[in-house]
């Protein structure tokens, strides 16, 4: 029974990574304009660059797809009644798939939309607090990047406030900080601008 359960969890984690590897922006650009989004605009395959290259429809479709794939992974973990720490490992796997997709030679997006989607399903209250923190920081710094990074970094703290679960909180730390880490180039650019 235990071996069967562990096998199911392993399949769930592998499937979560592969779902993360479905790069919405790349697919939307190919379908709408027949172009490779990696070669246009900023070269990123996230919603912001999709909007820049493809217009509002590209932005909306990419954002929705990236949010939904992480939300679907966490939702599936809940439906299968997996423990919260397995759901979070699935969440981490889908983020890793988005950041490092095997189908695009491990060059993916930045994970912001997928992070939001997963948190909305896993712990809605924390997601609301992250959104509130984002608005607060944006009001202070007037930078989407800086506001988002500060807000995401607070996610484990918000979760701990309500649940007091060490294991889940510790798993949320690498998930949130991974999304922060991949924004490092944006952070450097922001620092240069403010200097």
């Amino acid at each position: 029974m235990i071996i069967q359960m562990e096998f199911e969890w392993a399949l769930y984690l592998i499937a979560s990574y592969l779902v993360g590897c479905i790069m919405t922006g790349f697919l939307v650009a190919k379908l709408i304009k027949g172009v490779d989004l990696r070669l246009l605009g900023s070269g990123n395959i996230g919603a912001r660059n999709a909007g820049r290259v493809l217009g509002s429809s590209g932005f909306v479709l990419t954002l929705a797809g990236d949010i939904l794939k992480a939300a679907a992974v966490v939702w599936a973990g809940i439906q299968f009644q997996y423990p919260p720490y397995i759901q979070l490992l699935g969440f981490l796997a889908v983020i890793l798939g988005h950041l490092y997709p095997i189908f695009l030679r491990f060059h993916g997006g930045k994970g912001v939309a997928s992070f939001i989607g997963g948190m909305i399903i896993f712990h809605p209250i924390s997601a609301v607090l992250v959104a509130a923190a984002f608005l607060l920081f944006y009001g202070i710094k007037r930078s989407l990047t800086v506001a988002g990074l500060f807000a995401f970094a607070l996610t484990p703290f918000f979760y701990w406030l309500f649940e007091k679960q060490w294991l889940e909180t510790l798993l949320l730390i690498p998930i949130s900080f991974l999304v922060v880490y991949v924004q490092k180039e944006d952070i450097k650019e922001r620092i240069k601008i403010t200097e």
Side-chain angles (χ1 to χ4, degrees):
M1 183 67 179
I2 294 175
I3 294 175
Q4 180 183 350
M5 193 177 300
E6 290 177 348
F7 181 69
E8 283 184 19
W9 290 351
L11 288 179
Y12 170 67
L13 298 182
I14 293 169
S16 298
Y17 171 77
L18 292 176
V19 168
C21 291
I22 301 170
M23 303 309 297
T24 313
F26 180 81
L27 295 174
V28 166
K30 284 288 185 182
L31 291 172
I32 291 179
K33 284 194 174 181
V35 297
D36 188 339
L37 196 57
R38 297 171 296 176
L39 305 177
L40 300 169
S42 67
N44 187 265
I45 49 180
R48 190 184 299 184
N49 194 43
R52 188 180 296 126
V53 174
L54 306 171
S56 58
S57 61
F59 174 82
V60 171
L61 288 171
T62 301
L63 183 68
D66 289 346
I67 287 173
L68 287 172
K69 67 183 181 182
V73 161
V74 178
W75 179 84
I78 293 171
Q79 296 307 304
F80 288 128
Q81 298 183 334
Y82 294 154
Y85 71 90
I86 296 297
Q87 297 168 30
L88 281 175
L89 288 175
F91 188 12
L92 176 59
V94 75
I95 293 289
L96 286 171
H98 183 84
L99 300 178
Y100 309 107
I102 191 170
F103 306 123
L104 295 180
R105 299 181 181 179
F106 303 103
H107 295 292
K110 295 187 176 179
V112 173
S114 293
F115 179 82
I116 292 168
M119 279 309 302
I120 287 172
I121 301 301
F122 181 74
H123 201 253
I125 297 174
S126 292
V128 169
L129 290 175
V130 168
F134 171 82
L135 292 174
L136 175 63
F137 287 124
Y138 181 73
I140 296 170
K141 298 298 292 184
R142 293 294 173 185
S143 166
L144 292 173
T145 300
V146 173
L149 298 184
F150 275 115
F152 294 157
L154 287 172
T155 304
F157 172 72
F158 291 144
Y159 180 79
W160 169 254
L161 279 180
F162 288 92
E163 302 299 335
K164 301 294 191 296
Q165 296 293 325
W166 275 111
L167 180 56
E168 287 82 2
T169 301
L170 290 173
L171 284 171
L172 274 171
I173 291 173
I175 296 171
S176 56
F177 278 84
L178 185 60
V179 175
V180 171
Y181 171 75
V182 296
Q183 317 292 325
K184 59 185 182 298
E185 295 303 323
D186 289 342
I187 298 171
K188 290 177 184 176
E189 287 301 317
R190 180 56 55 183
I191 292 171
K192 287 179 183 177
I193 291 170
T194 55
E195 285 177 348

